[in-house]
Amino acid sequence: MRHRLAGGLILTGLVLQILRLAGLPVMLPAVSVAFWLAVALLWPDLKRSNRRQASVLAGVGVTLLLAAALRYDAEIAWVHMLDGNTYVVAMLVGVSFIGLIGTRQGHAPPPGSAVTGRRGTAGTWLGVHLLGAILNLSTIFMIGDRLRRHGELSMPQLLALNRGISAAALWSPFFASMGVVMTLAPQMEYATILALGLPLALAAGTLSLLDLSRRFDLDRVAGYSLSPRSLLMPVIMAVLVMLFHFGLTPWLSIVSIITFLLPGVALVSNLPRGPRWTLTRVRNHALERLPAMRGEISLFLCAGLLTQGLSSFIGAATGNDWQLFAHFGAPQAIASFLGIVASAVAGLHPIIGVSVLASMLDLSGERQTLFAFIALAAWAVGTSVGPLSGINLSLQGRYGISGTRMTRQNLGYAAVLATLAVAGVVVLDAWL
């Protein structure tokens, strides 16, 4: 009963957010409360590491809000204190509905067959990268479970899954990282991010293939073979998002468009089988898949509360005059990027470092693009190497690999990718 109620609340939060985007008089706190109540119901089911991180984030956020109000007599909009990252959570819930397209259960692996050698490993990286750019973490299980039909996953397979999906953070508008960054830096230029992020992601794939070919014998390592059909859905989704963003609803952000578009496409694809079939699938999704998102939802909501508290406290303590850097250029961006990556290696999710950094900066439009790039790059590097990132926690829980071992295996890759990202920062700073 507890899980069913939580799933219903998460679905309610998504519906309320879509109604807000449609212009109906729904207040944002109503959306936030629905998500937070779901987290409270699902709290006992969170992994210990997730509970610890979420508790610290929320506790520090509330403490800072109280300190700002009591110590500095700041006016705190308490009714909105839970609203941080609500837009991102709604987007993540919306993206999950894409799993209802095409298969009865909604989680069957995409088409493709296993091949071996470098071609197979390249196919695994590219498959999880392209599909993960739309479907996020669920792609790890879709492709990973298919590969496991040939035996327990080997280290090269696990690394290809890890690196392929983490690199999608560099450019995908559907990825959680982009949702967070677009919320924190609403004036960022996505076209500029795409122009740098996509080549960097391709470099990450090339680097991964060279590294795995050098360190492992891939001749008998099963991989995933892409087919044109498996690429059809990502292409269609990307085209639809761009159509709405530049044509039909240019006043809405990409985060907002994804929030209503993907559930809408999922419903339309099921309606030909009848309303009863569609409602049954939505009900099953709400009761099974949505409660399983408890780790992601709790982390993003608590990180949003931390950002609210930190920005309010800093503003109250300094009279809104203090910021971490007087000027945010290449040196400052590089230092921030390396700091977030270091915190990820130490066990913090990159969203924490990104949120804290955003609360201590006051950036103009073009500087927001620079901030967005280092945040996305830190997310891509940090989630690949961080032992407690959602990607590595998923691999640990599903396939039994040690998070510490994954960190060690990825240190060299992360160092090279970080170097490329630093070069990208220098190029972008000169460009801007």
Side-chain angles (χ1 to χ4, degrees):
M1 176 60 72
R2 179 166 53 86
H3 288 80
R4 296 164 68 91
L5 180 56
L9 284 167
I10 296 172
L11 180 60
T12 299
L14 173 64
V15 172
L16 290 175
Q17 178 65 357
I18 292 174
L19 293 177
R20 290 187 73 249
L21 296 175
L24 297 181
V26 177
M27 300 297 291
L28 183 59
V31 183
S32 307
V33 168
F35 288 143
W36 277 96
L37 286 176
V39 167
L41 288 171
L42 296 170
W43 189 262
D45 303 306
L46 289 174
K47 294 181 180 179
R48 182 178 302 175
S49 58
N50 284 354
R51 275 203 307 268
R52 183 169 57 248
Q53 284 199 67
S55 298
V56 171
L57 293 174
V60 173
V62 171
T63 300
L64 290 173
L65 284 171
L66 291 172
L70 300 177
R71 174 70 177 82
Y72 297 101
D73 199 27
E75 293 186 8
I76 306 296
W78 295 106
V79 71
H80 293 290
M81 67 175 286
L82 300 179
D83 292 348
N85 283 342
T86 296
Y87 282 89
V88 181
V89 171
M91 185 200 77
L92 290 174
V93 176
V95 167
S96 73
F97 276 81
I98 205 69
L100 297 183
I101 295 178
T103 60
R104 180 166 184 168
Q105 291 78 18
H107 298 288
S113 57
V115 293
T116 59
R118 296 183 62 179
R119 179 188 168 198
T121 301
T124 299
W125 186 96
L126 192 59
V128 76
H129 182 78
L130 293 177
L131 296 174
I134 304 290
L135 305 178
N136 288 261
L137 279 176
S138 61
T139 311
I140 288 181
F141 306 133
M142 294 165 67
I143 293 181
D145 287 357
R146 187 177 188 87
L147 295 178
R148 194 160 60 170
R149 296 177 183 178
H150 304 273
E152 288 302 314
L153 297 190
S154 62
M155 183 55 67
Q157 292 171 317
L158 291 165
L159 291 174
L161 291 172
N162 165 289
R163 298 175 184 183
I165 195 166
S166 61
L170 291 163
W171 65 272
S172 172
F174 304 95
F175 219 68
S177 59
M178 192 69 75
V180 171
V181 169
M182 286 181 172
T183 302
L184 297 175
Q187 298 180 48
M188 61 161 276
E189 290 289 338
Y190 175 69
T192 302
I193 295 298
L194 184 64
L196 276 176
L198 191 54
L200 186 57
L202 295 176
T206 303
L207 171 64
S208 295
L209 186 59
L210 293 175
D211 176 54
L212 297 179
S213 298
R214 179 181 60 85
R215 294 169 52 200
F216 301 97
D217 182 5
L218 302 180
D219 289 343
R220 296 186 178 181
V221 175
Y224 178 75
S225 178
L226 281 172
S227 68
R229 184 183 167 198
S230 66
L231 296 176
L232 184 61
M233 183 176 62
V235 171
I236 291 176
M237 290 296 104
V239 169
L240 286 175
V241 169
M242 293 301 106
L243 175 63
F244 274 85
H245 183 58
F246 292 108
L248 301 178
T249 56
W251 58 90
L252 291 178
S253 68
I254 290 180
V255 172
S256 299
I257 292 170
I258 292 171
T259 301
F260 72 79
L261 179 61
L262 271 67
V265 171
L267 290 176
V268 169
S269 71
N270 281 271
L271 279 176
R273 296 203 178 190
R276 179 174 296 180
W277 164 271
T278 304
L279 288 175
T280 298
R281 297 202 67 194
V282 171
R283 178 180 178 275
N284 292 340
H285 186 78
L287 299 183
E288 297 173 11
R289 175 70 181 98
L290 297 188
M293 297 178 66
R294 54 189 174 269
E296 304 158 67
I297 293 174
S298 62
L299 182 61
F300 282 105
L301 288 177
C302 291
L305 181 53
L306 170 67
T307 304
Q308 297 265 47
L310 191 57
S311 58
S312 297
F313 179 79
I314 292 174
T318 63
N320 293 311
D321 292 330
W322 182 88
Q323 45 188 303
L324 182 61
F325 301 116
H327 172 69
F328 193 69
Q332 296 78 15
I334 291 171
S336 301
F337 164 74
L338 295 176
I340 298 172
V341 171
S343 70
V345 175
L348 297 178
H349 194 283
I351 189 179
I352 301 172
V354 170
S355 300
V356 169
L357 176 63
S359 68
M360 296 188 291
L361 298 175
D362 184 16
L363 303 175
S364 62
E366 63 178 18
R367 296 294 104 182
Q368 288 193 21
T369 302
L370 181 60
F371 164 81
F373 178 74
I374 64 111
L376 295 170
W379 196 297
V381 177
T383 52
S384 70
V385 75
L388 296 181
S389 71
I391 293 170
N392 280 327
L393 286 174
S394 298
L395 291 172
Q396 291 174 53
R398 191 79 158 200
Y399 306 116
I401 182 65
S402 162
T404 304
R405 188 180 177 198
M406 288 296 291
T407 296
R408 288 199 305 265
Q409 292 286 340
N410 272 322
L411 283 175
Y413 163 81
V416 177
L417 186 57
T419 302
L420 295 175
V422 167
V425 170
V426 175
V427 171
L428 181 57
D429 183 56
W431 188 352
L432 297 175

